[in-house]
């Protein structure tokens, strides 16, 4: 049964019900199919989406801008340093003001709490386009891509390898809500945030999913349907790059690691990739790699989210 999501924020996948997540996935599937058949639905005719960016972006910026355009609406790129935010106007006042002009806000920033505050203050839907803590649009796209490639989510073993970061956190929530077996293999000290792990475990207990943390990479990848990695140095962590490379090099995704699963395994990455660091060219350019389909699916998933909430 369809659940109404009009007016809803997308701050964290943890805030969505299982029904809402499946509604997003099914809407994505329909919208992608119709678009591929040359049918252009325009449910957001005349609506405006503001896109606030405090960090760089290729995929998020372009896919959101094209998404709203294809749905009949209009996007405004708002560089955070060009807004009065950069001169001290509060995030809450910014949210109240933007709500008088726009029909939705997408925001990419550093502090997750800023997105929470914006969503509380704004009377229009606020979509988290990445914070230091979470990347929900990516997580939804990722499980859509797994569903598209494997035809199911329940029971799929996805092993995230590398740094326990924002992308890992949203994947844990997405997998936990949809019955997947998510294993996060990191070096000691690079584990995901303990609060996120606890919340994901609570979600998993309700759906039959499992969420497991380990340092033992070889054991983790056995039987993996999907191996997923992301950059070792996220935006804002550049000063730690050298140290991170030393710590994370044993967790590089190599052809040997891909073969050691003992079964056909997909390779996924949210991109941008740092070839030769978290993944080798041989893996990312191999037939097992679905990274560019995954990048394309950002467009389709976000069209579904925008059409449902705006
Ligand atoms: N995956 C992702 O969010 O990419 P961008 O940083 O290019 O938006
Ligand atoms: N973890 C990365 C994801 C980039 C899309 C970062 O935050 O920089």
């Amino acid at each position: 049964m369809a659940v109404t999501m009009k007016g809803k924020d997308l701050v964290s996948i943890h805030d969505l019900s299982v029904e809402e997540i499946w509604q997003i996935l099914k809407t994505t599937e329909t919208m992608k199919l119709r678009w591929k058949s040359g049918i252009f639905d325009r449910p957001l005719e005349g609506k405006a989406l503001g896109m606030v960016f405090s960090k760089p972006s290729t995929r998020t910026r372009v896919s959101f801008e094209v998404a709203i355009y294809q749905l009949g609406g209009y996007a405004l790129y708002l560089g955070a340093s060009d807004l009065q935010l950069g001169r001290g106007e509060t995030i809450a006042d910014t949210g109240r003001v933007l709500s008088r002009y726009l029909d939705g806000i997408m925001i990419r920033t550093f502090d997750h709490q800023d997105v929470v505050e914006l969503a509380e203050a704004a009377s229009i839907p606020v979509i988290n386009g990445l914070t230091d803590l979470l990347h929900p649009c990516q997580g939804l796209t990722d499980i859509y891509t797994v569903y598209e490639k494997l035809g199911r989510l329940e029971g799929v073993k996805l092993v995230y390898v590398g740094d326990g970061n924002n992308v890992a956190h949203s994947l844990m929530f997405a997998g936990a809500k949809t019955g997947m077996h998510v294993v996060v293999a990191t070096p000691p000290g690079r584990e995901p945030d303990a609060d996120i792990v606890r919340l994901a475990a609570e979600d998993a207990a309700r759906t039959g999913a499992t969420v497991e943390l380990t340092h033992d990479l070889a054991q983790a990848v056995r039987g993996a349907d999907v191996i997923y990695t992301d950059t070792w140095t996220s935006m804002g962590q550049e000063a730690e790059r050298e140290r991170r490379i030393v710590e994370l090099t044993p967790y590089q995704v190599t052809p040997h690691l891909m073969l050691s699963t003992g079964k056909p395994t997909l390779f996924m990455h949210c991109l941008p990739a740092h070839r030769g660091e978290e993944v080798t060219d041989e893996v990312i350019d191999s037939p097992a790699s679905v990274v560019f389909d995954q990048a394309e699916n950002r467009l389709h998933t976000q069209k579904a989210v925008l059409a449902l909430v705006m």
Side-chain angles (χ1 to χ4, degrees), residues 265-287:
T265 304
L266 297 177
F267 173 72
M268 295 179 70
H269 191 309
C270 62
L271 304 180
H274 299 74
R275 290 165 174 260
E277 292 186 17
E278 71 272 9
V279 62
T280 64
D281 284 334
E282 296 96 303
V283 171
I284 198 168
D285 295 329
S286 73

Side-chain angles (χ1 to χ4, degrees), residues 57-60 108 135 138 270-271 298:
S57 168
T58 298
R59 281 142 289 268
T60 304
R108 164 169 290 196
H135 196 358
Q138 187 67 55
C270 62
L271 304 180
R298 289 292 300 277

Side-chain angles (χ1 to χ4, degrees), residues 55 59 108 130-131 135 138 165-167 230-231 233-235 270-272:
K55 289 176 175 172
R59 281 142 289 268
R108 164 169 290 196
L130 180 147
T131 63
H135 196 358
Q138 187 67 55
N165 63 14
N166 46 7
V167 168
D230 181 22
T231 183
T233 308
S234 287
M235 291 178 276
C270 62
L271 304 180

